[in-house]
Amino acid sequence: MEIYLIIMLVLMILGSIYSLHAKDLLSAVISYGIVGFGLVISFLLLQAPDLAIVQVVVEIVTLVIMIAVIKNTTHEENEKSFSFSTIFYLAVVLVFAATFFIIFDKMTGTLSSFGQHFTRMSTAYIEGAHETGSANLVTGIVFDFRAYDTLGEATVLFTAVIGVLTILRLKGKKKDYK
Amino acid sequence: MILFILCFILFMVGLYGVMTRKNLIKIIIGVAVMEYSVNLFFILVGYVDGATVPILTKGFEKGPFVDPLPQAMILTAIVIGLATTALLLSIAIRLYRKYGTFDIRKINSLKG
């Protein structure tokens, strides 16, 4: 079980590295799909079928939007030109990686190791599941115990849709103020 | 532990893409990869060995479940991630229509 997850994660890492270095933007987007669908299989292995279903839909929609963007613009990667700023940015990435790894190491030290998780917070949710009337605990939590989260999600989605419509509007308002 | 570290490496690949790539689409891909790795990390933390899907079925009413709370949180986060990616891509289209390129070194004029 754990070995399958390791294989999926290594595949996802390789796919994302190839995607960032691909010569053509279309192949970059398609190999980015490896990451998303690898995530779907990982969710299934980790006993999270709700997330797997949502992730499949989200990944397909993301890929369709990205391919539509590339088809309407260009799929040429811009020409390479070596500059010293690349080395500077690589150094910044290394500094970030070192800092994050120290924090990550401290943080995961307090977590229990993989598979030994103790459901401390959600015991009340699991025991009170019959009050919600939902057989699925995840939807029970999302729509009953934590319904305000869904309200916030709807707000964010609404804002994003308004933003996309505003940005992609073809004509601006006529400037006839005098 | 090796799974957590692989997840961390995936996050770092995304950060590397955001910092060093010069193409807007690849920067957006880097952001999305970072987001996916964080989602996966939460679910990895909530996994319990030998536990079942958190769905109440006959014979599994009490049985050990994987933690449903991170799953509920990440369900929200995935959809929000789609919204942010769509917003970033629409900004990229707008920039392409103005400048004719995705190269961020050429998108450098602040004039309206």
Side-chain angles (χ1 to χ4, degrees), chain A residues 5 12-13 19 30 34 49 60 72 85 104 108-109 128 148 155 175:
Chain A
L5 274 174
M12 282 161 70
I13 290 169
S19 160
I30 288 169
I34 295 175
I60 290 172
N72 281 315
S85 65
F104 175 82
T108 49
Y148 277 123
T155 314
K175 293 176 187 167

Side-chain angles (χ1 to χ4, degrees), chain B residues 38-68:
Chain B
V38 173
N39 290 352
L40 182 59
F41 182 74
F42 270 65
I43 303 300
L44 280 175
V45 169
Y47 182 72
V48 181
D49 261 340
T52 55
V53 179
I55 295 175
L56 302 172
T57 46
K58 214 167 214 179
F60 289 101
E61 284 94 352
K62 288 285 163 198
F65 295 125
V66 295
D67 201 340

Side-chain angles (χ1 to χ4, degrees), chain A residues 36 39-40 43 51-60, chain B residues 36 39 78:
Chain A
L39 194 64
V40 172
F43 281 157
L51 288 181
I53 295 166
V54 173
Q55 181 67 42
V56 164
V57 175
V58 163
E59 184 61 30
I60 290 172
Chain B
Y36 283 174
N39 290 352
I78 287 174

Side-chain angles (χ1 to χ4, degrees), chain B residues 73-90:
Chain B
M73 300 285 101
I74 296 305
L75 199 63
T76 313
I78 287 174
V79 181
I80 289 176
L82 172 67
T84 50
T85 310
L87 193 59
L88 285 174
L89 282 169
S90 64

Side-chain angles (χ1 to χ4, degrees), chain A residues 58-93:
Chain A
V58 163
E59 184 61 30
I60 290 172
V61 171
T62 312
L63 285 185
V64 167
I65 295 175
M66 277 189 175
I67 290 174
V69 168
I70 287 170
K71 279 289 160 198
N72 281 315
T73 53
T74 176
H75 56 90
E76 301 282 318
E77 166 69 296
N78 38 34
E79 69 271 17
K80 290 269 189 319
S81 66
F82 183 81
S83 62
F84 286 102
S85 65
T86 314
I87 298 173
F88 172 70
Y89 288 135
L90 268 177
V92 171
V93 169

Side-chain angles (χ1 to χ4, degrees), chain A residues 118-137:
Chain A
F118 178 62
T119 51
R120 200 167 42 224
M121 285 273 289
S122 45
T123 314
Y125 292 135
I126 292 174
E127 282 167 358
H130 60 274
E131 292 169 17
T132 64
S134 164
N136 190 335
L137 293 184

